[in-house]
Amino acid sequence: MKKVLEVRNLKTHFFTDKGVVKAVDGVNFDLYEGKTLGIVGESGCGKSITSMSILKLIDKNGNIVDGSIMYGDKDIVKLPVEEMRKIRGNEISMIFQEPMTSLNPVFRIGDQIIESIKLHQDLSKQEAHDKAVNMLKLVGIPRAERVVYDYPHQLSGGMRQRAMIAMALACDPKVLIADEPTTALDVTIQAQILSLMNDLKEKTNTAIMLITHDLGVVAQMADDVIVMYSGKVVESAEVKELYGNPKHPYTQGLLDSIPDLKSEKKRLNSIEGVVPNPMELPKGCYFAPRCKFAMDKCWQEEPGVYFIDKEKNGETHQVKCFLYEDK
Ligand SMILES: Nc1ncnc2c1ncn2[C@@H]1O[C@H](COP(=O)(O)OP(=O)(O)OP(=O)(O)O)[C@@H](O)[C@H]1O
Ligand SMILES: [Mg+2]
């Protein structure tokens, strides 16, 4: 397994009138060729800012204040803007929830894909055009030969999403970052897009980072999962292990809150309480105020990271919780 990205102790903070928001605060993970890493957690826990940090697209009032993002032998954190521009949208490309943020409304779909192809690959105009049509076909757009001349607003939401994915994949990215890529789509199209992403991962060996609050999607798509809470990773494991043997009380709560189709009692078990205000984080474990297992210590100290069942999992299953402190 080849490692494509190695994120260590990543800290991205925002500086506001009211104080510092530690949106991402000491995050670690690895991304491997041909594998999908799922990132889950409630709204505001830092999923998008983690991905934006990798792309170095952080709002002006924020900054990566510590850590490293190794991409081969380059540290993205230290990379000059110019070099980052070459990598972004090429070797590392992205899909967002709202396709109109990456599609330009005033240019034809085909021209946008062609531009993305030609920017990074040495192809003639005709070759690039043919490749654009092929990409549109690959993402399941009917009559791609005609759609290539359409403007974004002429397509339905689902087709626009596909066009954006075609654009994101046209340059054969090594890393694809997908932030809630299907949330806005209806379930049928969602399923098609996800299976398409799976196909492409297998065909092109792309490493995928998939951000979603939908634990069902993660179960279906991811090889590995990290669970975030208030800017920190609280648990990480291979997908089967995480769903079969969740350890952190927060992960257990998230999994319990998946609506059970068989019972009528939807979401009855969802975790009580809300995520803490980032300006007023509790001392100790940030989850303690919502945790039914919280001990005295949890209110005082930040928990370390402990390994679960090392004999079976090696160091792949990690949890940031005093319940699993090595005794
Ligand atoms: N420009 C900014 N200035 C101040 N705080 C910000 C800024 N951008 C993001 N944040 C804060 O950073 C934190 C993490 O935000 P992020 O968008 O990563 O959450 P998320 O996990 O992606 O949530 P969601 O599931 O709703 O998309 C939030 O508290 C958010 O308010
Ligand atoms: Mg987000």
Side-chain angles (χ1 to χ4, degrees):
M1 260 194 317
K2 200 176 153 220
K3 204 185 274 185
V4 199
L5 268 189
E6 183 183 275
V7 176
R8 289 294 175 270
N9 192 33
L10 180 65
K11 295 190 180 181
T12 304
H13 295 176
F14 293 98
F15 303 90
T16 74
D17 295 345
K18 292 187 188 127
V20 180
V21 177
K22 299 178 178 178
V24 175
D25 204 33
V27 162
N28 297 300
F29 62 85
D30 297 320
L31 216 59
Y32 293 95
E33 219 174 64
K35 297 267 178 203
T36 297
L37 175 73
I39 302 188
V40 298
E42 281 165 296
S43 188
C45 66
K47 305 181 297 293
S48 294
I49 302 302
T50 299
S51 61
M52 291 309 206
S53 303
I54 294 171
L55 297 162
K56 292 247 272 197
L57 294 173
I58 299 296
D59 287 348
K60 281 212 176 64
N61 66 329
N63 224 334
I64 299 178
V65 297
D66 202 1
S68 59
I69 303 171
M70 295 308 295
Y71 174 65
D73 56 3
K74 293 177 194 144
D75 183 357
I76 285 180
V77 174
K78 299 198 182 107
L79 221 53
V81 181
E82 256 324 296
E83 259 195 81
M84 194 56 217
R85 199 168 288 151
K86 279 185 219 151
I87 292 177
R88 197 191 303 131
N90 175 25
E91 291 169 50
I92 303 181
S93 74
M94 59 246 165
I95 311 172
F96 299 110
Q97 178 173 345
E98 178 40 67
M100 288 315 261
T101 53
S102 17
L103 292 173
N104 189 328
V106 303
F107 294 112
R108 296 175 198 274
I109 296 281
D111 290 340
Q112 297 190 49
I113 300 177
I114 289 166
E115 196 193 347
S116 148
I117 294 171
K118 287 193 68 179
L119 209 56
H120 309 291
Q121 294 170 44
D122 194 19
L123 296 178
S124 72
K125 211 171 168 207
Q126 185 60 45
E127 286 168 329
H129 177 93
D130 294 345
K131 180 156 185 189
V133 173
N134 266 332
M135 286 311 298
L136 292 174
K137 283 186 181 158
L138 200 62
V139 297
I141 291 184
R143 297 186 312 280
E145 291 85 355
R146 278 176 45 202
V147 170
V148 84
Y149 298 108
D150 282 347
Y151 291 92
H153 73 267
Q154 291 175 275
L155 304 186
S156 68
M159 288 301 147
R160 265 205 299 267
Q161 190 73 353
R162 285 164 188 241
M164 176 176 61
I165 294 174
M167 194 164 92
L169 297 167
C171 43
D172 301 326
K174 290 204 165 54
V175 178
L176 176 67
I177 297 177
D179 192 347
E180 303 279 5
T182 57
T183 318
L185 304 176
D186 73 55
V187 277
T188 325
I189 295 167
Q190 173 173 350
Q192 288 171 15
I193 301 261
L194 292 176
S195 94
L196 191 80
M197 279 169 64
N198 264 343
D199 288 354
L200 287 158
K201 171 179 84 170
E202 270 151 38
K203 271 186 215 143
T204 61
N205 232 7
T206 301
I208 301 178
M209 191 168 134
L210 176 66
I211 295 171
T212 173
H213 60 262
D214 187 333
L215 288 158
V217 167
V218 173
Q220 178 196 341
M221 296 287 292
D223 299 284
D224 303 293
V225 187
I226 66 178
V227 181
M228 288 186 69
Y229 192 78
S230 290
K232 297 185 187 277
V233 176
V234 294
E235 184 159 8
S236 58
E238 287 174 10
V239 69
K240 272 199 190 125
E241 170 75 9
L242 191 95
Y243 282 70
N245 193 23
K247 290 296 188 193
H248 199 287
Y250 180 60
T251 313
Q252 292 171 350
L254 282 181
L255 289 171
D256 276 347
S257 65
I258 299 179
D260 184 351
L261 293 178
K262 278 169 270 164
S263 92
E264 314 232 310
K265 295 183 262 170
K266 280 192 180 176
R267 294 209 169 262
L268 257 193
N269 294 322
S270 67
I271 314 162
E272 275 181 45
V274 290
V275 291
N277 178 339
M279 311 279 192
E280 294 161 16
L281 291 169
K283 205 178 158 194
C285 174
Y286 296 165
F287 189 61
R290 301 171 77 184
C291 182
K292 54 185 173 200
F293 304 108
M295 308 172 277
D296 286 348
K297 185 178 200 171
C298 307
W299 295 92
Q300 301 303 327
E301 292 169 48
E302 181 179 341
V305 173
Y306 307 107
F307 299 115
I308 303 295
D309 204 351
K310 225 171 165 175
E311 267 163 38
K312 180 175 137 222
N313 301 314
E315 298 194 344
T316 56
H317 191 171
Q318 305 185 4
V319 59
K320 189 177 173 65
C321 173
F322 281 128
L323 290 173
Y324 308 97
E325 194 174 7
D326 314 306
K327 303 263 159 45

